[in-house]
């Protein structure tokens, strides 16, 4: 794929600055976040699959969103944790770097496409409830998910290919805990202004392409909710959208700062902090966002815990 253009066969991930004791503290914190992320999202996937009360488009999309969160964090965090245990810099091969960056960007793109679809789903549920089951039928939901996954992976082929066609002759030390595209561009001897501009336009297309239907959907949702006469009815209607809305704010907020900027070669500390938000903090928070604010999920979890207790007692 790269031929003899890259000038590097491996990279060194600089990771986190500080003493080895501080790095061990980071390891404990991020290992805890990663473990909770895996368990929390796996629990959501299981209850969505087995509980009949959660057989609706909203929870079908939620199951796929949880799978994406597991994959996104697994692409980054295990490598980061291993680097925190090493006394020096961490070595990553060129092939592993290409694979990590491609999967990270592809899964992230798929997640934004799915969040946009979930916003439209909430719009239909609140603003057109009588036709909800007709519009959001099984066939439609399956195709929405398939298109989101295929689009996410196809869309990122050229950006990753173009990145690794550059000549990395300045250094092979990446100042981050993963193969960050912005830091990779810093290592290139080529003039990267054009490719950075194209990457900026593509990031704008992905983020705003899914954010615009989200904004439009929530404009209609809020307008419809405000017309409901009773306060309890308004609360009930908004509760069906609150989890998704919170997830949108956190997800889009962090990625807008990370990718939608004309200059991709942002300061390393800035990229490192925002990358932690995207790959560690957001996947960690999502299970809590979608469970603590959703009565059906809480009931399903409660009943599942009771059944597990009965099995162990018997």
């Amino acid at each position: 794929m790269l031929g003899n253009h890259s000038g590097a066969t491996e990279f060194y991930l600089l990771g986190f600055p500080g003493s080895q004791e501080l790095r061990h503290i980071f390891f404990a914190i991020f290992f805890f976040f990663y473990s909770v992320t895996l368990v929390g999202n796996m629990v959501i996937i299981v209850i969505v699959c087995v509980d009949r009360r959660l057989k609706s488009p909203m929870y079908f999309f939620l199951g796929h969103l949880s799978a994406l969160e597991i994959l996104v964090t697994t692409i980054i965090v295990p490598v980061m944790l291993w680097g925190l245990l090493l006394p020096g810099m961490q070595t990553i091969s060129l092939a592993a770097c290409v694979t990590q960056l491609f999967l990270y960007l592809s899964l992230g793109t798929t997640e934004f496409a799915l969040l946009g679809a979930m916003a439209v789903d909430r719009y239909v549920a609140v603003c057109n409830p009588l036709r909800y089951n007709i519009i959001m039928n099984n066939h439609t939901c399956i195709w929405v998910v398939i298109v989101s996954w295929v689009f996410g992976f196809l869309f990122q082929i050229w950006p990753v290919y173009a990145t690794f066609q550059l000549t990395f002759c300045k250094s092979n030390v990446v100042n981050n805990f993963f193969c960050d595209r912005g830091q990779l561009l810093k290592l290139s001897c080529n003039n990267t202004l054009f490719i950075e501009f194209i990457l900026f336009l593509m990031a704008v297309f992905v983020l705003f392409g899914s954010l615009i239907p989200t904004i439009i959907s929530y404009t209609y949702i809020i307008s419809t909710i405000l017309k409901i006469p009773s306060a309890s009815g308004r609360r009930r209607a908004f509760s069906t959208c609150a989890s998704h809305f919170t997830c949108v704010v956190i997800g889009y907020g962090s990625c807008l700062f990370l990718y939608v900027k004309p200059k991709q070669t942002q300061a390393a500390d800035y990229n490192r902090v925002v990358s932690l938000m995207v790959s560690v903090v957001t996947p960690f928070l999502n299970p809590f966002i979608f469970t603590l604010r959703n009565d059906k999920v809480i009931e399903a979890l409660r009943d599942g815990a009771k059944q597990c207790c009965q099995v162990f007692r018997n």
Side-chain angles (χ1 to χ4, degrees):
M1 177 178 177
L2 301 175
N4 294 320
H5 298 286
S6 71
T9 58
E10 62 182 18
F11 294 95
Y12 294 95
L13 303 179
L14 196 58
F16 294 88
S19 64
Q20 195 63 25
E21 290 76 14
L22 180 60
R23 289 155 66 91
H24 286 163
I25 294 174
F26 283 150
F27 175 87
I29 294 172
F30 295 142
F31 181 78
F32 169 75
F33 273 54
Y34 181 56
S35 300
V36 174
T37 298
L38 291 183
V39 173
N41 284 288
M42 281 299 299
V43 167
I44 289 177
I45 293 172
V46 170
I47 63 172
V48 166
C49 291
V50 302
D51 197 291
R52 293 181 179 179
R53 288 168 294 187
L54 305 182
K55 298 298 180 184
S56 70
M58 174 182 173
Y59 300 107
F60 176 72
F61 294 141
L62 177 57
H64 281 270
L65 183 65
S66 295
L68 283 166
E69 297 288 22
I70 291 174
L71 292 173
V72 167
T73 194
T74 300
I75 293 299
I76 302 297
V77 176
V79 176
M80 178 183 70
L81 293 175
W82 177 243
L84 287 170
L85 294 178
L86 297 175
M89 289 185 292
Q90 182 180 10
T91 305
I92 184 170
S93 68
L94 180 62
C97 191
V98 173
T99 303
Q100 185 186 57
L101 182 61
F102 175 68
L103 291 176
Y104 177 68
L105 295 175
S106 299
L107 292 168
T109 303
T110 302
E111 185 169 339
F112 283 118
L114 193 60
L115 284 173
M118 292 174 73
V120 176
D121 169 72
R122 291 299 83 206
Y123 158 75
V124 178
V126 174
C127 301
N128 204 349
L130 297 179
R131 299 190 62 202
Y132 179 69
N133 291 329
I134 299 174
I135 298 173
M136 301 303 297
N137 54 59
N138 290 337
H139 185 266
T140 301
C141 293
I142 291 171
W143 270 107
V144 165
V145 167
I146 291 174
V147 170
S148 297
W149 281 87
V150 172
F151 170 75
F153 278 78
L154 290 181
F155 191 80
Q156 292 298 337
I157 291 176
W158 182 86
V160 175
Y161 174 80
T163 300
F164 287 96
Q165 283 294 305
L166 299 172
T167 303
F168 302 108
C169 56
K170 292 181 180 178
S171 171
N172 61 348
V173 177
V174 179
N175 192 2
N176 211 327
F177 54 84
F178 75 109
C179 282
D180 175 30
R181 183 171 63 193
Q183 298 307 306
L184 286 170
L185 293 175
K186 276 188 175 182
L187 306 181
S188 174
C189 297
N190 306 88
N191 186 342
T192 61
L193 289 178
F194 176 74
I195 188 173
E196 287 185 54
F197 178 69
I198 298 299
L199 293 175
F200 166 72
L201 292 180
M202 294 182 74
V204 169
F205 175 79
V206 169
L207 290 175
F208 285 96
S210 57
L211 186 59
I212 288 172
T214 301
I215 293 173
I216 294 173
S217 295
Y218 274 102
T219 300
Y220 281 104
I221 288 170
I222 293 171
S223 175
T224 301
I225 290 175
L226 292 176
K227 293 176 183 178
I228 298 175
S230 66
S232 61
R234 289 194 295 269
R235 282 196 300 271
R236 194 181 311 112
F238 185 74
S239 67
T240 64
C241 309
S243 299
H244 175 264
F245 182 77
T246 305
C247 182
V248 164
V249 171
I250 296 174
Y252 281 93
S254 55
C255 283
L256 283 171
F257 283 109
L258 185 59
Y259 294 114
V260 184
K261 54 183 186 292
K263 191 68 175 173
Q264 294 288 310
T265 53
Q266 193 77 24
D269 291 338
Y270 174 94
N271 272 12
R272 189 180 288 110
V273 170
V274 182
S275 297
L276 279 174
M277 283 292 298
V278 174
S279 59
V280 179
V281 178
T282 301
F284 170 80
L285 291 176
N286 276 354
F288 298 101
I289 293 171
F290 281 101
T291 55
L292 297 180
R293 302 182 65 91
N294 192 300
D295 293 335
K296 284 189 176 181
V297 175
I298 292 174
E299 289 176 8
L301 287 172
R302 189 183 296 117
D303 293 345
K306 289 179 180 178
Q307 291 176 4
C308 289
C309 291
Q310 291 175 356
V311 170
F312 284 118
R313 287 175 183 174
N314 297 332

